[in-house]
Amino acid sequence: MLKEGFKENYGRLKFFINGEWIESKSNTLFDDTDPGTAELIAQVPVALENEVDMAIEAAFNAFKKWRDVPFRDRADYINRLRAAFDANHEILSKILTQDHGRAINDSKGTIDRCIENIESASGAMYSFYKGEYVEQLANGIDCYMMWEPVGVFLILTPGNIPMHAWSSFVPYALACGCTVIVAPSWQCPVASEAVFRVSEEVGFPPGVLNLIHVGTNFELNKRIISDPRVAGVGFIGSTFVGKQLFELCGNLGKRSSINGNGKNFIVVAPDANLDAAANYLLRGCFGMSGQRCLGSDNVVIIGNIYDEMKEKFLNAAKNMKVGYGFDKSVEMGPMTTKQNKEKVERFIEKGIKEGARVLLDGRGLKVPGYEKGYFLGPTIFEDVQPQMEIAREESFGPVSNLIKAESLDQAIEWINTTTDYGHSACLVTESGKNARKFIRECNVGNVGINAGIPQPYSFFPLGSKRQSFFGAAKSRFDSVRLFLDQKTVTVRWV
C-alpha cells in the first residue's frame, strides 16, 4: 500500500529522478491548495535547468537497458503496475478528490479508467507488438517487419485529469520499451506525485520513470523537447499551448501526440426520451464541474420540444448537490483552482454581454462549512446564437448554452462549422436513421448516441479532429504508434 498515504499537508514536494526522490535546490515555489477548502496542501518547487538535465540523462541512460528487457519481463512490470493501482484504489481516489476537487465517486471512476489503460497497455504488447512476417516473398527471400521502441518521451499532463492523462500515455510508453519524463500541470501536483509513489512500488529500473515540476515555465518544456536525447512528447491540454509544442516538434523532427481543447455538443432530437436526456445533460455539462475533456457546453434542442426539454434540464440542474467532494451524496465539487473559477466567471459575464439570458446562475454559491472553496453552481444560458463567442469557445466549467435548432441538418452544420474544434458530439434520439446520419456526418473524433459523455474504452483511441488534435498518434491504445517505430528486414539464405 502507498507508504506516504493521505495527508492534510504534504509539505514541499520532491522530484523523482533515476529511481530516487530528491529535494530540488530551487527557490521558486508555487502553492497547491485543496479546492474545497482553499487551504494549502503542498508547496512545489519549479525545477532548475540542471535538474531538468538530470531527468533527461536518467531517462536516456535507462532507455538503453529498458528497451532490452525481455518481452515477458516487461509485461510482468505492467501487470504489477495494474495490481499496484488496484491495491491503492481507495487512497488514490481520496488524494484525487483532495487535490482536484471532483466528487469522490468521480475519483473512484477515474482510478478505474487508469486501471483500464494499464490493462490495455498490457494487451497492446501481446497484439500490436508481434510484427509481421512473410516467408518466401521471392525465391529464397523472407521479409518481416518488427516494431522498435523510439526512446525518451516528455509526458505533459493537464490539471483536469492528472491521473487519467498519465495513464493515457505512460503505461503504453513503458510497455513499448520507452522511458518517460513527466512534467504535470501546476494545478494538481499532489495527485501526480501519488501516481509516482504507487508506480515506485512496482520496482521499475532507475530512470524508466521520472517526475519533475515546471510550474508555468514553458521554457523548461522546450528545453526537454529540444534535447537530442528526447524523441518526442505526449500532451493533453490547451490547443494554444499544444500548437506551440507541435510547431517545435515539427521543426526538430520530433514525434508528438497533441490533444487540445474542444467545444462539444449534445443534440436532443424531437423523438428523444426527455427524462433520459435530462440525465445525459447533467452528466455531460456539469460532471466534474464541467472540467472534462469530453464534457459539453452547447445543448442543441431540435423543434417543438425546446420548452419541455428546457424545463426538465433546468429543474434537474437546480436539484444537483454541489459540495465538498468527500461527501458521497455530492454530485458536483468545486473548480480545481481559484484561477479556473475566475476564468469561468468571466466567461459567464461575456455571455451576458453577448445577449444570452441567464436561466440559472451558479455564481456566488457558498457551501456551508466550505465558504472559501472554489465553488460554482450549474449555470444555464438560453437565447444563445451559434455565432456568439460563448458558443464557439470552451468554458471549461459548469456552463450550458441552450440553442434552438430547426432540424438535425442544421445542428450538424453548426457542429461542423461554428467552431474550429472537433472533439465530440452526442445525439439523444430513438431513430436509428438519424443516429447513423449523425455518426457519419459530424466532423468530430468522438460521437455518442444516447450518452452525455462519449468516452471510448481505453483500447480505442481518444479520436479528436481539427484544432483538437495534432500529431502522429492519438492517446491511449493508439499511442503505441507514437512510442514504436517500424523496421523491415529482408533476408536471403538461399
Side-chain angles (χ1 to χ4, degrees):
M1 296 293 290
L2 192 62
K3 294 178 182 178
E4 293 296 314
F6 179 86
K7 302 178 181 180
E8 290 186 1
N9 191 296
Y10 299 83
R12 179 179 167 124
L13 299 188
K14 298 179 181 180
F15 300 159
F16 189 69
I17 299 175
N18 206 31
E20 296 182 348
W21 292 98
I22 67 169
E23 292 274 7
S24 173
K25 304 297 183 183
S26 175
N27 293 320
T28 303
L29 304 173
F30 63 91
D31 293 340
D32 185 28
T33 58
D34 179 333
T37 64
E39 294 177 356
L40 183 71
I41 60 172
Q43 286 195 305
V44 189
V46 175
L48 300 173
E49 288 185 351
N50 71 298
E51 292 168 339
V52 168
D53 294 341
M54 285 170 56
I56 297 172
E57 181 73 13
F60 182 71
N61 288 337
F63 172 68
K64 301 173 188 176
K65 299 177 181 179
W66 179 245
R67 63 170 296 165
D68 288 332
V69 170
F71 176 90
R72 291 176 61 184
D73 294 343
R74 203 161 66 238
D76 183 58
Y77 278 106
I78 302 303
N79 292 331
R80 291 188 348 237
L81 181 64
R82 188 249 184 248
F85 266 74
D86 193 38
N88 289 283
H89 196 295
E90 183 177 354
I91 189 70
L92 285 172
S93 300
K94 289 177 66 177
I95 291 173
L96 183 57
T97 289
Q98 178 190 31
D99 200 17
H100 176 272
R102 71 185 68 184
I104 188 64
N105 289 331
D106 282 336
S107 291
K108 291 178 179 179
T110 294
I111 307 308
D112 289 340
R113 303 293 87 74
C114 292
I115 291 172
E116 289 167 6
N117 263 319
I118 298 169
E119 291 172 343
S120 179
S122 178
M125 294 185 69
Y126 291 102
S127 57
F128 196 91
Y129 209 82
K130 289 187 296 185
E132 300 171 3
Y133 185 91
V134 177
E135 184 183 25
Q136 193 68 355
L137 179 66
N139 189 35
I141 296 176
D142 304 330
C143 191
Y144 63 94
M145 185 274 289
M146 55 191 288
W147 293 97
E148 293 186 326
V150 175
V152 178
F153 279 83
L154 172 63
I155 307 298
L156 300 173
T157 57
N160 66 315
I161 50 169
M163 293 183 178
H164 194 189
W166 183 94
S167 74
S168 295
F169 285 118
V170 173
Y172 299 96
L174 303 186
C176 291
C178 295
T179 58
V180 297
I181 302 163
V182 179
S185 166
W186 60 271
Q187 297 182 34
C188 290
V190 169
S192 300
E193 179 176 295
V195 169
F196 268 79
R197 293 198 179 274
V198 169
S199 302
E200 185 185 16
E201 295 178 358
V202 177
F204 287 100
V208 170
L209 280 161
N210 302 276
L211 168 69
I212 60 171
H213 294 285
V214 301
T216 58
N217 189 342
F218 185 73
E219 293 302 312
L220 292 178
N221 290 330
K222 288 174 64 176
R223 183 181 184 89
I224 297 171
I225 296 171
S226 299
D227 192 291
R229 294 169 292 182
V230 175
V233 61
F235 169 84
I236 300 175
S238 72
T239 294
F240 176 77
V241 172
K243 279 186 171 181
Q244 296 177 62
L245 292 170
F246 185 61
E247 181 179 4
L248 178 61
C249 288
N251 290 336
L252 295 172
K254 303 291 181 83
R255 293 179 166 222
S256 64
S257 175
I258 306 296
N259 302 265
N261 292 108
K263 185 63 177 181
N264 305 325
F265 289 73
I266 301 177
V267 179
V268 184
D271 64 345
N273 179 323
L274 301 191
D275 290 323
N279 288 326
Y280 298 146
L281 295 181
L282 281 187
R283 182 166 169 76
C285 297
F286 306 133
M288 263 175 53
S289 305
Q291 300 169 110
R292 182 180 260 136
C293 302
L294 290 168
S296 295
D297 287 353
N298 288 342
V299 175
V300 179
I301 304 172
I302 300 173
N304 59 10
I305 62 166
Y306 178 85
D307 289 335
E308 184 180 1
M309 184 71 260
K310 177 182 75 173
E311 289 304 315
K312 286 181 180 290
F313 181 35
L314 182 61
N315 290 333
K318 287 178 178 178
N319 290 320
M320 283 193 81
K321 183 172 181 179
V322 181
Y324 194 45
F326 287 113
D327 180 345
K328 292 182 179 179
S329 65
V330 162
E331 298 171 273
M332 193 174 94
M335 301 299 295
T336 300
T337 67
K338 182 180 180 181
Q339 293 91 326
N340 289 357
K341 175 177 179 285
E342 292 171 346
K343 184 177 180 180
V344 177
E345 288 172 336
R346 291 193 296 271
F347 185 92
I348 295 170
E349 287 293 334
K350 184 184 299 180
I352 294 171
K353 291 178 181 178
E354 287 190 294
R357 187 164 74 90
V358 178
L359 289 177
L360 182 63
D361 194 339
R363 295 172 296 174
L365 176 69
K366 296 294 182 183
V367 175
Y370 302 97
E371 288 80 6
K372 294 182 180 180
Y374 313 138
F375 292 97
L376 279 175
T379 295
I380 300 176
F381 280 120
E382 74 168 342
D383 297 334
V384 177
Q385 303 302 318
Q387 69 273 13
M388 290 180 178
E389 187 172 347
I390 62 166
R392 293 184 289 107
E393 293 296 330
E394 190 173 38
S395 72
F396 223 63
V399 179
S400 176
N401 304 317
L402 301 187
I403 306 172
K404 297 179 182 179
E406 296 179 358
S407 66
L408 182 60
D409 284 325
Q410 186 177 50
I412 293 172
E413 181 183 0
W414 289 340
I415 291 168
N416 292 342
T417 63
T418 59
T419 174
D420 293 329
Y421 303 118
H423 198 43
S424 75
C426 296
L427 175 66
V428 187
T429 182
E430 296 295 313
S431 167
K433 178 181 178 181
N434 286 341
R436 189 171 190 276
K437 175 184 177 69
F438 191 81
I439 292 167
R440 288 178 58 80
E441 295 184 12
C442 283
N443 189 17
V444 299
N446 305 282
V447 174
I449 302 298
N450 295 324
I453 304 167
Q455 179 76 263
Y457 200 85
S458 57
F459 50 67
F460 290 100
L462 189 65
S464 302
K465 294 186 176 184
R466 295 187 279 163
Q467 296 292 303
S468 296
F469 175 79
F470 308 90
K474 308 292 174 67
S475 64
R476 306 182 189 180
F477 187 90
D478 196 49
S479 70
V480 295
R481 297 193 299 110
L482 178 71
F483 301 124
L484 293 174
D485 205 355
Q486 297 160 310
K487 175 184 285 185
T488 59
V489 181
T490 303
V491 180
R492 182 197 292 273
W493 290 112
V494 178

